[in-house]
Amino acid sequence: MKTKLLFLISFFSFALSFAQTKISGKVTFKNKGIGEVNITLKDTYDGATTDTNGNFSFETSEKGNHTLIFTHPKYIDVEKPITLENQEVSVNAELKEQINEIDAVVVSAGSIEASDRKRATALLTPIDIYTTAGADGQISSALNYLPGVQKVGETEGLFVRGGTGTESKIFMDGSLINNYFSSSVPGIAGRDRFNTSLFKGNIFSSGGYSALYGQALSGALMLESVDLPDQSSYDFGVSPIFLNAGFQKLSDSKTSSFGATLGYSNLKLMQEAFNFNTNFTDAPQGLNGDFNFRIKTKSGGFFKYYGMYDSNRMGVTVESLEPENDFSLVKLKGKNTYHNLSFKQKFGKYLLNAGASYSFNRSDLDFSTQKNDMETGNTKLLTDGNYINFKTVLERKINKISALRGGLEFNSTSEKLNFNDFVGKHYKDLISAAFVETDLGFSNQLSAKIGIRAENSSYLGKSNIAPRFALAYRFAKDWTTSFAYGLFYQNPESKYINGPANLGFQQSQHYIFQVQRTTDRRSLRFEAFYKKYDDLLKVKNLEYKDGQNQYVQTADNNGGYGYAKGLELFWRDKKTFENIDYWISYSFLDSKRDFLNYPLSLKPNFASEHTISAVAKRFVPKWKTGFNLSYTYAKGRPYYDIATQDVNGEPKYFVRNEGSLKDYNALNFSVNYLPNLGKKDAKAFTVLVLSVSNILGSKNVYGYNFSTDGSRNSAVVPPVNTFVFIGAFISFGVDKTQDAINNNL
């Protein structure tokens, strides 16, 4: 009997140690219950969501002193301390509205914002990008799954609403990034040079963007780099393709940090494992490294510095389209360095943002032909570019929802082109700009953004003035409408300026109308646009005589023109299906232009009439695994074989061959496994990744190359139809598990 009694006492003592404590209460705003408020017991996985009357309850086995967190997108977060013993706990919370950031309607026509998750129409965080199947962890690739961006696989750049890849510019902390993409060879797109984890947010504008930015006819991507890390950490990444390592060191005072990374990549091993379409005589490989520091001053100022260096190389051999040769060869050696320094400081009612960046880029291309194992006809193109950007913006808050800002920007370019060891050109330009812009909040239902930008180009010897205007109106609780207009200028692309020509700014006008509905974890967005292009660059053939006749396209005049119009739809939903986040985008594009060597107004060969993208993500905490799918369909783009003929002694362009490519289809799949998920006080955060692009093996075609006489052609195709990636990413010193959960659920 005594033994049984001791057993029962031990059993009940053990059971009580795991007894559940009930936590309940009500959340209100102005004495009215609020639904869909998230209540979380800090540093645990326990919590609940309020019902329509604001009531909640849940049970937990936690004991001792804890903090209860109340969060809702429209209200200020509230934290309440509680003590958990063996008695039921009742906690009520009264929330306060965030008038200045949430209720005030914001202009969003043309923009998809992710720097402020509470105001974002479409939120693409770094984890979002890393877990988008088919994006390969690249920001530019992830944007291909948003409306307005065309899937163009054979060359780098953001192709936005009928614009070329060079008509969209990318900025880091306000400063222009020249050469965001790695050097490339014809038919193979360059990759992002910048690590996605470097940035904490982004604003992607597919049109009608702010007067603070210029020199982009179609769109702008504004990236915001991370601030001080939460704590020191060490990171490692390993796969058959690359090996990298890095660290971030936070000072004891938590007012400064510094860090560095080093990485090496080589595609040779994967080239042996997969059946590549491209014959790489020298497998793509690269070496990269970067260094950064962050300093918070005693007066509240903040310095950020980021510097990087990378080099890449590759060699490609293809069958020659000319009967006198067996093969055509191209070799690439690229080098790039980029440095960015920014400073932010409040002075009373004023906020100063200043930044400067410098970049150097070298692209060394060697073209040749091969006949009977003999290499002949070498043509070398060596381009060196130095770029300096300086920008300062002073902003003053007028009230909670209105502000005035203005500033100056200087963008210096110096490029040298060596053609077969002959100096082909030395292009220099200084673009000076001044801008002013105001956000006007008339009420919580009506706001406007009005700006103007003026630029001067030393090379062109001309100036421009570009007004921008946008208006937003909330016509129902969750529904807003926006209209935007803007005039945008851009210098002719410098690679075509190989001789004297009377040139001016290229110009586009944007008209954008948007309707969107945003509720908790759901976004619906409809947008119609019209773009008118004027003064687009036209080119002609320029002959170099250095022992053999060589031709390059060179700028001739600004006689080009065009238009782009279309409709777009975007839907994102994190609510309907448990633990599933998905979005769908559709774009209709009608575009024609007469530019470069086009002999008449044609549908651009980079523009697809219909594009549909879908992304779906499911994270299963029990399995510690995330499953990701993405699909893209694009109607076949046009292709042209444009040649020259003699007309009255003058060479004229004409379309010799044309047609439409087959429709583009790609289904991608990836799996992310987090082995440390659920482990308390874990000091290492590990992610194991398996990714398969184009799992159905669709044989997509990007275009065609034609022989000199047009009698022969070859398809431009991806380097590989289906690609499998496996890798492991490990962080020591910081537990990012909760971030992974929050961003995947």
Side-chain angles (χ1 to χ4, degrees), residues 117-184:
R117 71 173 57 231
K118 295 174 182 176
R119 296 166 66 176
T121 301
L123 180 61
L124 293 186
T125 63
I127 287 185
D128 252 335
I129 295 167
Y130 282 128
T131 57
T132 296
D136 301 326
Q138 298 183 92
I139 296 174
S140 63
S141 296
L143 292 177
N144 285 327
Y145 296 95
L146 296 180
V149 185
Q150 296 280 296
K151 174 64 178 179
V152 179
E154 70 272 27
T155 187
E156 62 278 355
L158 292 174
F159 293 79
V160 178
R161 291 180 172 174
T164 69
T166 60
E167 291 177 13
S168 294
K169 295 297 175 64
I170 302 175
F171 303 84
M172 175 180 177
D173 294 332
S175 295
L176 176 66
I177 301 177
N178 288 285
N179 302 293
Y180 177 85
F181 299 94
S182 63
S183 301
S184 61

Side-chain angles (χ1 to χ4, degrees), residues 129-138 141 145 191 239-242 270 274 626-630 667-673 687-696 720-729:
I129 295 167
Y130 282 128
T131 57
T132 296
D136 301 326
Q138 298 183 92
S141 296
Y145 296 95
R191 292 176 57 85
S239 82
I241 301 174
F242 65 79
M270 302 306 287
F274 292 94
F627 300 91
N628 313 295
L629 280 172
S630 70
L667 177 65
N668 311 295
F669 172 73
S670 69
V671 179
N672 310 300
Y673 174 60
V687 180
L688 305 179
V689 178
L690 167 65
S691 176
V692 184
S693 61
N694 191 19
I695 59 177
L696 300 181
V720 62
N721 291 329
T722 300
F723 190 75
V724 179
F725 170 83
I726 55 174
F729 303 89

Side-chain angles (χ1 to χ4, degrees), residues 243-318:
L243 179 67
N244 59 44
F247 72 91
Q248 290 293 323
K249 179 66 175 177
L250 180 66
S251 67
D252 294 337
S253 62
K254 296 188 177 182
T255 58
S256 65
S257 70
F258 67 94
T261 64
L262 181 66
Y264 173 74
S265 63
N266 194 319
L267 207 62
K268 186 173 181 60
L269 184 60
M270 302 306 287
Q271 187 181 354
E272 300 292 333
F274 292 94
N275 183 23
F276 272 59
N277 299 319
T278 303
N279 180 19
F280 288 109
T281 53
D282 190 3
Q285 55 190 286
L287 177 67
N288 62 83
D290 64 57
F291 174 77
N292 67 81
F293 66 76
R294 308 281 188 263
I295 299 175
K296 184 184 292 185
T297 67
K298 292 182 179 179
S299 60
F302 200 76
F303 285 96
K304 292 182 184 180
Y305 167 78
Y306 173 79
M308 59 87 73
Y309 167 84
D310 79 64
S311 64
N312 68 310
R313 60 184 297 169
M314 73 175 76
V316 176
T317 298
V318 297

